[in-house]
Each structure stands twice: as structure tokens, then as C-alpha cells.
Amino acid sequence: MNKLIGSQPRHSKLLSTVLLGLVVVHVLLLSRLADRYSPTVDEVAHLPAGLAIWNDADFSLYRVNPPLVRTVAAMPVFFVPHEEDWSRYKKDSQTRLEWAMGRQFVAANGVDSQRLFKFARWACLPFSVIGLLVCYFWGTQIHSQMVGCIAAGLWCFSPNLLGHGSLITPDVAATSLGLLAAWRFSEWIENSSLLNAFWAGTSLGLAMLTKLTWVFLPTLWIVLAFMNWVRYRQIRSLQSDFIHLGLIVLLGLNLLNLGYLYNGSFTLLGEYDFYSNPLSGTPRIPGENLPANRFQDSWVGKIPVPFPKDYVTGIDLQKVDFEQGKWSYLRGEVKAPGGWYHYYLIGLLVKVPAATLLLFLAGLIACWRDESIRSSTMRLLPLILSAIVLFVVASLQTKMNRHVRYVFPILPAIYLIGAMAGVRWPKAAITAVAMTAISSLACYPHSLSYFNEFIGGPQNGHRYLIDSNLDWGQDMPLVKDWIDQWEDEHPVWLVWPGDVSSEHFGVNAKLSPGGELPAGWHIVSRSERHHASGRYRAYDQLIPVDQISNTYDVYLVQPTKKKP
């Protein structure tokens, strides 16, 4: 039987060097992707929304996400020469104008947009590094430095975190800071000091500033604290712990409001304009129906809401998105609108490297078989429960299944539980990290379109998932290179998921009309080919003559011969 890691020294210079190496490698991998990818679909809207905050402290653009990440992303762009076009912007509009502002921003800056987004992405790279470091430190605390290095290694080479961590979208930041919040709260549970309460509250506020996903965290922390009191019956510490818990929640909410500069904080519930069914009373569409408020004439409407106004209206508009629904795609099947309860489960099974999933399974087995390992893993309870709540809530939203990134916060739990397998099987765990790295780097720099070995790799990814799981518009530089080489032979037609003109990225191609295909080269996104409208089904009858990355197929349509 392998020697247990727990018998090794808790800290060593070798493993500290390994951690430093992982951080350096992770930053280098992220930096290259940040430089290489063209602006993706959602990024186009995030950057001008961040600039609106720097210009006018306006948080209403992209309010369905809190402002932390886009504010950080826009900071370097704000201080370098660039063009802005706000001619069509109406402040405090109830409709979502971020997409129109994104199109105007890219149109105003043209091919220089790539440079501006690169600066914005570099500013956001530290978010992913934070997650790697927390994996290491928490793994070291619950067992040993080796466990911490295993968890950090899984984070470092995760193709999903590399692909999305190089963007200015908030998914990886929410994963990192949600992990940080769970770690610091766990520290307070174990040692309820005033200092630990301060850090738990600070990290809670930072997590809530990344995505609306974490709105349930204050409630969950209160429930976990109560469970801890009941379990250990620490009546003597109940009073001080109650004070500390109040400090954690109040500090977190205060930091959340500070992130919005207290804009509209403590507005009475009855004074809001709502559109979602639970809050307005009837389903409404912003821009088409007048808002309503089911609490307006009740005593509940007189309660001040301890959140910023744009945070609350963002929750409302996000709920509207889920109520209206969008078409979804899974394993070759399209539902319009609709989805599947198992969408995110399938998504993780095909997007997470096979070696990582197997190590996670080994970690579960180790917890089941070994009481000491199980006891150590229980210290991850805040992380595990928050991941489960998020996963269940996301899975229940079956009217919109588009993005596996919505459940990325479950990944740290997979990494840390998997790392505990190294306590019993250290060589196997290290091998799993190495295999994860090999699998990820074999696909790099096409990390956004990574799919694991269970389905045959990225080549088969479009048969299972599309959208941000595959092609989010990130490969325009490769499309441009291909066109520059071959466009003289035939005209070029393009099918891609972007909402802006491809000319702004230097791509000289016309948009394919679908239906009856004109002669020439056709560069077709594997994601868009499965569009619910069926407008691109004509390509299913053709055989690709080339491919670009894992995201585009190239077809040659010959001119139709005229009858004499």
C-alpha cells in the first residue's frame, strides 16, 4: 500500500517551488489566450458597460451581472486612447442596451478593438490566479501541501478555466471569489475570531459583486452557522458567534453596496419597477409592457431593500430571461424554447478532462473508505453545499440551457475532493494531474472549444454542446488567416455567432444567406450550423474540404451550371 501523504512534512521547498511554477505557467497560458482570441459574443457588451461605470458611475448597462469584473476590465481601456459612441444610449432604460452599445463600441474602434480587449483581459487575469492559490492553501490546510498542489494543478491546467479565465466575462471570477468566500467562512467556522469574521465578510461581498449567482450565500452561511451550533452545542460561544455572523453578513452587504457606490441602496420594495412574474405579478417584456410591482400596495412594499437598485433590477431582468426562454441544444437535439434537467451534468461530463473526473471519483471513494479523509473533506462543507445549491438551481432553469460556464463554481469542489484521493493513492493522483495537463495542452490554444476523451475529443464536441461551450466568436484571427491565404480563388461566405460585423476584426467575407448557397468558399461555425431556425441545414448535405480550429468547417460550393 502507498505511503500516506499525511506522513510527509506539511511544507517543503520543493512543493512551494511547484506552486510558484503552477502560478507562472497559468499566467503565461492565460496571457497567450487573452492576446489571441477575438472579442467573444458577451465580451463585446461587457467592455462598454464597464466604461459607463468609469465615465458616469452608471451601473445600469449589463445589470444582470454585478459590476466588479467589468469595472476592473474597463480600467486600463479608460486610460488609453480609444473611441466611444453613446449616441443611441438612454440612461436608466429598462431594456438591455448593452448589446447595442457593444456594437457601436466595436464599430467605432474597428480593428483596434482587438488591442483594447487585450488590455481589458490582462486586467482580469488575477481573478483566476486567486482561485489557484485558494485551492492550494485550502488543500494544504485540510490535509497537506501535496493535496494543495494537486488541487492547484487541476485548476492550473483546466481548459475551461483557461478558456474563460482569459476573457472579461465574470464566470471564472465568480468561481474564484466564490471559492475564496467559502474558504474564509470555513476558517471562521473552525475559529470564530473577529479577524476571521472580517475576512469572511469581505470575501462574501467580493463574491456577490461578481455574479448574481451568489445572492443566496448570506442565507447559506447563516444556515451553516446554525448547523454548526446544533452539532457541537457550543452554547457558551453562541452570543459571540451571533455577533460575528452578523458582522460577516453586514460587512458583505456593505461591500456589495459600496461596489455600486450605494446607488439606490435601501430603496423601498414597493418603489421598484418589475417585469418578472414573481415580482410584478404577471409576465412582462421590457420595452413592450409597462412594469408593475405586486408589493406596491402591501406592507411588504414599505420594507427597504438592503441591496443596490441595479442589483435588484438585474435579478428581475435575469428572471425575465429565464421566463421567456431560448432555444437549447444537447447531443444533436434542439428544443425551442426549452431544455433538460440533466444539461449541466452532461456538460460537465464532456467538458471536464477525463482524468480530472476519474480523480474526483477516486476522491469520493477515498472519503467513503477512510474516516480521517472524510473528516478532513468535511471542512470543505461551505464549498460543497454552495456548489450543490448553485448546480441544482441552474439545472431547474430548463427554459434556457446554453452555457456550462454557469456551473463553473462546482469545479473547485471537484478539484479539492479529487485531490484528497492523493492521500491514499499519491502516485495515481499525480498521474491524473499530469494527464489533465496533457489533455488540456493538446487542445491549447483552443481551450474554449475543449471536449474530453470520453466523446473523442474536440473534434466531436459540436455533436454534444454548442454556443460558449464551443464557438463564442473567439477564432476570428484564424478565420482571417485562412481567408488571406485562399480568398483570391473564390468569394468567401461566413457563418459565425458574432453580433457585430466581422469586418471590424479584419475578416473580409460576406454573411452566408443560408438556404440556397451561393458559389464560393463557405466558412461555417459548427455552433451556428445547429441553429434552431434550421437556416443552415443546407451545409449538412456537403462534405467539408478543410477546418479552422475546432470551430469552423470550410465548404467549397461550385457555381451551378446553366442549362443550354
Side-chain angles (χ1 to χ4, degrees):
M1 181 174 172
N2 289 322
K3 188 177 180 180
L4 295 182
I5 291 178
S7 62
Q8 298 177 358
R10 193 169 182 81
H11 297 279
S12 73
K13 292 183 178 180
L14 175 61
L15 293 180
S16 297
T17 303
V18 169
L19 172 64
L20 178 61
L22 290 173
V23 171
V24 171
V25 169
H26 192 60
V27 171
L28 291 175
L29 292 174
L30 288 171
S31 298
R32 185 186 175 195
L33 294 180
D35 181 66
R36 176 193 173 279
Y37 285 156
S38 50
T40 58
V41 173
D42 279 17
E43 282 186 298
V44 168
H46 275 286
L47 186 51
L51 288 171
I53 296 173
W54 283 93
N55 288 329
D56 302 309
D58 180 2
F59 298 91
S60 61
L61 276 180
Y62 226 126
R63 72 185 74 180
V64 295
N65 281 308
L68 177 61
V69 179
R70 63 179 180 270
T71 303
V72 172
M75 179 175 61
V77 178
F78 180 75
F79 290 104
V80 301
H82 66 279
E83 300 295 329
E84 297 180 17
D85 180 3
W86 301 97
S87 59
R88 299 182 181 179
Y89 179 55
K90 182 180 179 181
K91 190 174 183 180
D92 297 323
S93 170
Q94 294 301 315
T95 57
R96 295 184 59 179
L97 296 177
E98 57 264 24
W99 307 105
M101 295 302 101
R103 288 191 293 270
Q104 291 181 205
F105 178 82
V106 172
N109 291 279
V111 293
D112 195 41
S113 300
Q114 180 78 30
R115 178 181 68 92
L116 299 175
F117 277 92
K118 178 172 64 177
F119 293 155
R121 289 165 174 173
W122 283 349
C124 293
L125 299 188
F127 287 121
S128 189
V129 176
I130 290 172
L132 187 154
L133 292 174
V134 175
C135 278
Y136 169 79
F137 287 115
W138 203 354
T140 299
Q141 284 185 356
I142 64 175
H143 197 276
S144 64
Q145 197 177 11
M146 178 66 78
V147 168
C149 281
I150 292 171
L154 294 174
W155 182 291
C156 174
F157 294 106
S158 165
N160 297 296
L161 298 180
L162 287 173
H164 288 272
S166 62
L167 308 179
I168 65 171
T169 45
D171 304 285
V172 172
T175 303
S176 290
L177 296 184
L179 170 64
L180 176 65
W183 175 43
R184 297 317 307 173
F185 185 74
S186 174
E187 284 292 288
W188 176 78
I189 286 287
E190 294 183 29
N191 178 17
S192 56
S193 68
L194 190 61
L195 181 61
N196 281 338
F198 171 80
W199 288 118
T202 302
S203 58
L204 172 64
L206 289 173
M208 294 182 70
L209 277 169
T210 57
K211 288 198 78 171
L212 298 178
T213 295
W214 293 129
V215 67
F216 67 86
L217 279 186
T219 303
L220 181 61
W221 283 181
I222 293 172
V223 171
L224 283 174
F226 179 76
M227 290 170 56
N228 187 66
W229 290 329
V230 171
R231 180 181 180 185
Y232 295 105
R233 302 183 182 277
Q234 297 173 326
I235 304 300
R236 293 180 180 178
S237 66
L238 184 59
Q239 184 176 358
S240 62
D241 284 359
F242 183 79
I243 295 172
H244 288 173
L245 184 62
L247 174 64
I248 292 171
V249 174
L250 290 176
L251 184 57
L253 293 180
N254 185 61
L255 188 55
L256 172 65
N257 283 276
L258 178 61
Y260 286 83
L261 302 180
Y262 297 94
N263 190 355
S265 298
F266 299 100
T267 298
L268 299 182
L269 182 59
E271 296 180 0
Y272 279 93
D273 291 333
F274 290 130
Y275 291 91
S276 65
N277 187 29
L279 298 176
S280 72
T282 56
R284 296 166 184 268
I285 301 176
E288 296 184 17
N289 304 119
L290 292 175
N293 188 320
R294 72 187 312 161
F295 311 105
Q296 191 171 28
D297 298 323
S298 70
W299 65 269
V300 180
K302 296 180 173 58
I303 298 176
V305 181
F307 297 122
K309 188 172 184 178
D310 284 317
Y311 189 85
V312 177
T313 56
I315 293 174
D316 179 57
L317 292 178
Q318 184 73 90
K319 181 60 178 173
V320 170
D321 287 342
F322 287 124
E323 288 174 352
Q324 293 177 349
K326 294 183 179 180
W327 67 273
S328 304
Y329 174 91
L330 180 66
R331 300 177 65 192
E333 181 183 356
V334 173
K335 287 188 178 182
W340 303 263
Y341 291 116
H342 57 274
Y343 176 87
Y344 294 106
L345 177 60
I346 297 295
L348 291 173
L349 289 176
V350 301
K351 288 289 289 181
V352 177
T356 300
L357 293 174
L358 293 174
L359 185 61
F360 171 63
L361 179 61
L364 293 176
I365 294 173
C367 291
W368 174 58
R369 294 178 58 179
D370 191 306
E371 172 63 30
S372 65
I373 296 176
R374 184 163 61 252
S375 177
S376 296
T377 305
M378 285 299 295
R379 296 169 67 181
L380 300 174
L381 191 60
L383 174 64
I384 295 171
L385 287 183
S386 60
I388 290 174
V389 170
L390 184 148
F391 186 82
V392 170
V393 171
S395 297
L396 292 175
Q397 304 297 325
T398 57
K399 286 189 176 181
M400 190 172 72
N401 290 156
R402 304 293 289 272
H403 312 285
V404 175
R405 58 190 173 88
Y406 287 169
V407 295
F408 276 3
I410 202 173
L411 293 177
I414 292 175
Y415 300 155
L416 284 161
I417 292 174
M420 293 302 291
V423 178
R424 293 185 65 89
W425 307 292
K427 292 182 179 179
I430 294 172
T431 301
V433 175
M435 294 303 295
T436 294
I438 292 171
S439 177
S440 178
L441 295 178
C443 184
Y444 187 87
H446 312 297
S447 301
L448 271 179
S449 57
Y450 174 88
F451 287 82
N452 67 25
E453 299 81 0
F454 290 151
I455 63 167
Q459 190 67 23
N460 294 323
H462 70 100
R463 305 180 192 278
Y464 289 80
L465 300 170
I466 56 174
D467 218 296
S468 65
N469 309 300
L470 174 66
D471 178 19
W472 220 13
Q474 73 271 15
D475 283 330
M476 282 294 101
L478 298 182
V479 172
K480 180 183 182 301
D481 291 344
W482 193 97
I483 292 175
D484 289 345
Q485 181 179 359
W486 296 101
E487 69 173 332
D488 292 340
E489 296 188 14
H490 301 281
V492 180
W493 302 87
L494 178 66
V495 176
W496 80 301
D499 196 32
V500 299
S501 172
S502 61
E503 293 180 358
H504 299 315
F505 306 130
V507 174
N508 184 24
K510 298 179 180 179
L511 292 180
S512 171
E516 186 174 345
L517 303 178
W521 296 115
H522 287 249
I523 301 175
V524 182
S525 165
R526 291 180 174 178
S527 182
E528 289 298 293
R529 209 180 82 196
H530 299 288
H531 198 282
S533 66
R535 70 182 73 163
Y536 303 121
R537 288 176 183 167
Y539 292 108
D540 294 342
Q541 310 303 317
L542 304 178
I543 299 176
V545 297
D546 201 357
Q547 74 175 58
I548 302 173
S549 180
N550 305 309
T551 50
Y552 291 88
D553 287 317
V554 180
Y555 303 88
L556 179 58
V557 177
Q558 298 290 354
T560 303
K561 294 183 180 180
K562 296 182 180 180
K563 294 182 179 180

